[in-house]
């Protein structure tokens, strides 16, 4: 039922009323002006959709989803028991029964689920104004200034475009590259994923090379994923040897010209792949010599997740021409951006207006500003370095006792655990990984996700407030599950657990 200031689901309070979340009273209106609608509505007890929504149980919600959603839109843990998540706080999610789940997989709520500072900023701005960026507004202009201020000095990354998602950001980045170079040739990395628009599907081997995909278009040149665990190059010269494929792709493109080289600074669906030393520097030299621009996709790992570095590309000591950011930027609100150099931006300014109705709107910009402030005030980048190092150390110690763990890799709070059946062949332990993921949820109330070409990598990319105590809990639970694997036929082991 709807109660004053709360949306209640099955007796559990969920969402603070917008007027109360900010902790501030609405500003006085000029004499004779009508009262603010939002302020009036927030002061009333309205029995609207909240009452009907709160009365639905899990089975009814799932039935509605199956009736009105396309089956292509998957449900997490559909092979065991889907979760009805109704509340979040910090590094935990809560279901309708009040059970708390440790969230190791949600890099969207970057500074923590329902962070009060972000919630208050959003509530206050939503109760005041939300409109498009053709009007001047301080939030989006200040956000641009602060975002640009996070990039390395001298990088030239100083012009912002605000959009709503990482897919939009990468789509726009390709448009910018096309405008800057007049070429249409794009170099991509195998297993890469850059979004769900048609343009970004066309540059995502993770999509176009798999079920439902149509393969690479003639203008898209795929190079080998720079994996040093199971890839063809694993020694000290792996970076240079993988980069040689990019050099060859540049030489073999029409007239030796390319538009862009795009790669994730940390490849998530590829199975937590960080490029080996020297890789990006060599790739960038080749691409720029061929007239192209270099795009760093930071949607998954940006904003301090690497701990030591605020941006993933900094680990490689390079400066891209275009950077795309998304998921974590708005801490759950739809906010993303493209940041580029002045020369690329000027080439794009060809007379055709670029307008994005919701990109950088005042409410989402408020979320972005608050997220950046919390990230700094709570020392979450430094925490990611410390907690991530502790977690990797503990996981590697566990791997010495549990041979199913073939590799532990990553940086900061971006970690991959790869499971294998044989240390020589590196056969992916796909069924075992599915069982592990399902049992971590069912028995230990820990949410994890599976990625990698062999569906055998658990990816850890939690909210940045994830603690050493959280890390220790993950390791202890993983040890317990690995010590009691049931094998194929067990719940969750018959194929990939959809996460």
């Amino acid at each position: 039922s709807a109660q004053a200031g709360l949306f209640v689901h099955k007796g559990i309070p969920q969402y603070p009323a917008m007027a109360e979340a900010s902790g501030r009273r609405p500003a006085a209106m000029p004499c004779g002006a009508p009262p603010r609608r939002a302020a009036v509505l927030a002061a009333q007890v309205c029995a609207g959709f909240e009452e009907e929504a709160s009365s639905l149980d899990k089975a009814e919600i799932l039935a509605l989803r199956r009736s009105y959603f396309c089956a292509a839109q998957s449900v997490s843990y559909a092979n065991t028991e889907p979760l009805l998540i109704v509340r979040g706080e910090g590094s935990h999610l809560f279901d309708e029964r009040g059970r708390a789940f440790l969230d190791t997989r949600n890099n969207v709520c970057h500074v923590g689920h329902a962070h009060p500072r972000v919630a208050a900023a959003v509530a206050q701005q939503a109760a005041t104004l939300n409109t498009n960026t053709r009007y001047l507004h301080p939030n989006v202009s200040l956000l641009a200034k602060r975002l640009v201020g996070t990039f390395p000095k001298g990088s030239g990354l100083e012009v912002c475009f605000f959009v709503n998602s990482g897919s939009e950001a990468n789509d726009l980045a390709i448009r910018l590259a096309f405008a800057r170079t007049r070429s249409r040739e794009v170099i991509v990395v195998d297993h890469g994923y850059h979004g769900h628009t048609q343009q970004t599907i066309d540059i995502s081997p993770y999509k176009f090379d798999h079920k439902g995909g149509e393969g690479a278009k003639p203008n898209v040149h795929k190079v080998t994923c720079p994996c040093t665990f199971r890839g063809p190059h694993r020694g000290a010269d792996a970076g240079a040897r993988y980069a040689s494929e990019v050099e060859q792709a540049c030489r073999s493109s029409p007239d030796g010209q390319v538009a862009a080289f795009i790669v994730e600074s940390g490849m998530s669906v590829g199975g937590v792949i960080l490029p080996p030393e020297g890789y990006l520097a060599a790739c960038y030299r080749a691409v720029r010599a061929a007239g192209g621009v270099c795009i760093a996709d930071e949607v998954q790992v940006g904003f301090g997740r690497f701990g030591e570095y605020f941006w993933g590309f900094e680990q490689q000591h390079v400066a891209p021409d275009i950077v795309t950011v998304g998921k974590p930027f708005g801490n759950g609100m739809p906010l993303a951006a493209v940041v580029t150099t002045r020369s690329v931006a000027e080439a794009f300014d060809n007379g055709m207006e670029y307008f994005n109705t919701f990109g950088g709107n005042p409410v989402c910009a408020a979320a972005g500003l608050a997220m950046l402030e919390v990230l700094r005030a709570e020392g979450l980048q430094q925490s990611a370095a410390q907690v991530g190092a502790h977690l990797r150390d503990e996981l590697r110690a566990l791997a010495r006792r549990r041979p199913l763990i073939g590799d532990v890799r990553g940086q900061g709070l971006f970690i991959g655990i790869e499971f294998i059946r044989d240390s020589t062949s590196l056969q992916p332990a796909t069924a075992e990984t599915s069982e592990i993921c399902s049992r971590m949820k069912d028995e230990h109330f820990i949410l994890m996700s599976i990625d990698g070409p062999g569906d055998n990598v658990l990816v850890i990319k939690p909210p940045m407030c994830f603690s050493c105590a959280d890390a220790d809990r993950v390791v202890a639970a993983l040890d317990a599950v690995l010590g009691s694997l049931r094998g194929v036929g067990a719940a969750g082991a018959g194929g990939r657990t959809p996460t």
Side-chain angles (χ1 to χ4, degrees), residues 171-369:
D171 191 290
L172 177 57
I174 296 298
R175 284 185 59 192
L176 292 171
F178 287 172
R180 175 68 175 80
T181 66
R182 306 300 178 186
S183 172
R184 292 294 183 270
E185 308 300 312
V186 181
I187 301 172
V188 302
V189 176
D190 198 12
H191 311 308
Y193 174 60
H194 303 287
H196 61 77
T197 68
Q198 188 59 57
Q199 179 73 269
T200 53
I201 288 173
D202 287 348
I203 60 169
S204 298
Y206 173 72
K207 289 294 185 182
F208 68 62
D209 271 345
H210 292 85
K211 190 174 182 179
E214 299 176 350
K217 298 289 193 293
N219 67 310
V220 175
H221 310 272
K222 183 178 67 175
V223 298
T224 302
C225 174
C227 175
T228 56
F229 177 66
R230 61 169 60 250
H233 310 306
R234 307 179 194 180
D237 62 346
R241 296 176 72 181
Y242 279 117
S244 68
E245 290 194 30
V246 175
E247 296 163 358
Q248 178 57 38
C250 290
R251 289 192 294 268
S252 62
S253 64
D255 301 320
Q257 298 291 302
V258 299
F261 167 62
I262 183 169
V263 63
E264 300 154 271
S265 298
M267 298 179 66
S268 182
V269 300
V272 183
I273 305 300
L274 273 60
E277 184 177 355
Y279 175 73
L280 284 188
C283 292
Y284 280 19
R285 283 194 299 270
V287 170
R288 286 167 174 158
V293 299
C294 303
I295 303 171
D297 181 341
E298 293 273 343
V299 171
Q300 291 281 358
V301 299
F303 296 106
R305 179 162 294 279
F306 274 13
E308 185 177 350
Y309 304 99
F310 197 84
W311 299 109
F313 66 79
E314 294 181 272
Q315 186 185 48
Q316 292 271 308
H317 309 293
V318 296
D321 304 292
I322 302 172
V323 176
T324 59
V325 303
K327 292 183 191 301
F329 198 4
N331 209 60
M333 295 294 288
L335 177 65
V338 178
V339 185
T340 189
T341 63
R342 187 71 57 185
S343 64
V344 171
E346 287 175 351
F348 187 70
D349 184 17
N350 60 6
M352 180 186 293
E353 180 192 21
Y354 177 78
F355 176 64
N356 190 307
T357 301
F358 299 111
N361 68 74
V363 171
C364 289
L369 287 164

Side-chain angles (χ1 to χ4, degrees), residues 113-129:
H113 293 285
H115 194 287
R117 174 69 180 96
V118 181
V122 169
Q124 180 179 340
Q125 188 57 56
T128 305
L129 172 72

